[in-house]
Amino acid sequence: MKKSFKYYAIIWAILFALFNAVAFLSPGWTGIEKYTGSFWVGYIFIVIAFVGQLVCANIAFKAENLQKLFYNIPLISISYGGLVAMLVFGVLAMLISPMPYWIGAIICVIILAFTAISVVKASAAAEAVSDIDKKIKTKTYFIKSLTAEAESLMAEAKTPEIKAQTKRVYEAVRYSDPMSNAALVETEEQLERGFNSFADAVRKGDAELAKSIASELLIIVDRRNKKCKLLK
């Protein structure tokens, strides 16, 4: 992500340099003072918008993974939109130099305020979605972990009969409700103990015991799924 921001910052620097070049190298209107209060108001607010946009982009690209970067994309788009709006009105203030400076200042302050509010809202929304995503991952960890173990166990089956039992258990766990809940702790502990016993039977090659425990596991999984429905 840092490498991506590096390229972004280079483009930003080029655009910022281009803006300054046009602002100070252009001759202005003939017979009219260029560097008035209105000019400097427009210039200063555009610079603030440029800096604010870079800060927002930096925050977005600091994300440690692509998923968080996706959540932070609104920070870039909103700050970019604010920069464009500030450029339009700021440049107008710079061009219409005889205009009273306070008119341009009020318009630019309003744009800056709305952009800042939108950025804060987007940042809060991204953080909230990220927290929800973490909670969901935590709540689905048990079933995902058990599914991975059940899939690995199929490769350890020594006979076709035992393999069939491991497949039964794997499919039951795989298609069960992934969400965990505090009310399911006892059932999930029972399921985990049963699976460990089943894994031992599979590794020992005890087909009868594996079949017996597999049937019990399917009953526990079914019971857990019914409880999940009641909790929703």
Side-chain angles (χ1 to χ4, degrees):
M1 303 302 171
K2 289 182 180 179
K3 190 174 182 181
S4 299
F5 177 72
K6 180 181 176 181
Y7 294 126
Y8 189 94
I10 291 171
I11 296 172
W12 179 93
I14 293 170
L15 292 175
F16 185 66
L18 178 62
F19 161 71
N20 279 278
V22 172
F24 291 106
L25 295 178
S26 58
W29 299 105
T30 305
I32 299 175
E33 174 64 29
K34 178 180 178 180
Y35 300 112
T36 63
S38 181
F39 174 91
W40 290 112
V41 164
Y43 176 79
I44 290 170
F45 275 99
I46 289 173
V47 170
I48 291 172
F50 260 106
V51 173
Q53 204 284 321
L54 184 64
V55 170
C56 289
N58 185 34
I59 293 171
F61 281 106
K62 273 185 177 178
E64 58 266 24
N65 53 57
L66 287 174
Q67 190 172 36
K68 284 194 174 182
L69 177 60
F70 176 75
Y71 294 153
N72 286 332
I73 284 176
L75 287 178
I76 300 175
S77 58
I78 290 171
S79 61
Y80 178 74
L83 174 60
V84 171
M86 190 66 78
L87 276 169
V88 171
F89 288 97
V91 167
L92 283 175
M94 293 169 71
L95 289 174
I96 311 173
S97 52
M99 180 179 68
Y101 73 91
W102 58 268
I103 296 176
I106 290 174
I107 295 174
C108 289
V109 166
I110 291 172
I111 294 171
L112 189 64
F114 273 103
T115 303
I117 291 170
S118 299
V119 165
V120 170
K121 285 183 178 179
S123 181
E127 194 172 327
V129 172
S130 181
D131 288 342
I132 292 171
D133 187 58
K134 286 180 182 177
K135 289 178 181 178
I136 290 174
K137 284 182 179 179
T138 301
K139 288 185 176 182
T140 58
Y141 175 77
F142 175 77
I143 287 298
K144 285 183 177 180
S145 176
L146 196 63
T147 301
E149 290 181 24
E151 186 176 14
S152 298
L153 192 62
M154 286 194 293
E156 299 183 45
K158 297 178 180 178
T159 65
E161 187 179 356
I162 295 176
K163 191 175 184 65
Q165 299 306 318
T166 57
K167 187 176 181 181
R168 283 177 66 202
V169 172
Y170 167 69
E171 290 182 349
V173 174
R174 180 187 177 189
Y175 295 110
S176 64
D177 195 310
M179 295 298 291
S180 291
N181 189 291
L184 300 173
V185 171
E186 186 177 344
T187 303
E188 289 180 348
E189 286 179 350
Q190 187 180 3
L191 180 58
E192 187 174 15
R193 289 194 298 269
F195 182 82
N196 290 336
S197 299
F198 176 70
D200 289 339
V202 169
R203 292 180 181 116
K204 290 176 182 177
D206 192 332
E208 288 299 321
L209 182 59
K211 184 178 180 180
S212 175
I213 298 175
S215 298
E216 292 178 9
L217 285 175
L218 264 58
I219 293 172
I220 297 171
V221 170
D222 182 62
R223 188 189 309 145
R224 180 186 175 279
N225 289 337
K226 288 178 180 177
K227 286 184 178 180
C228 284
K229 288 181 181 179
L230 291 173
L231 292 169
K232 291 182 178 178

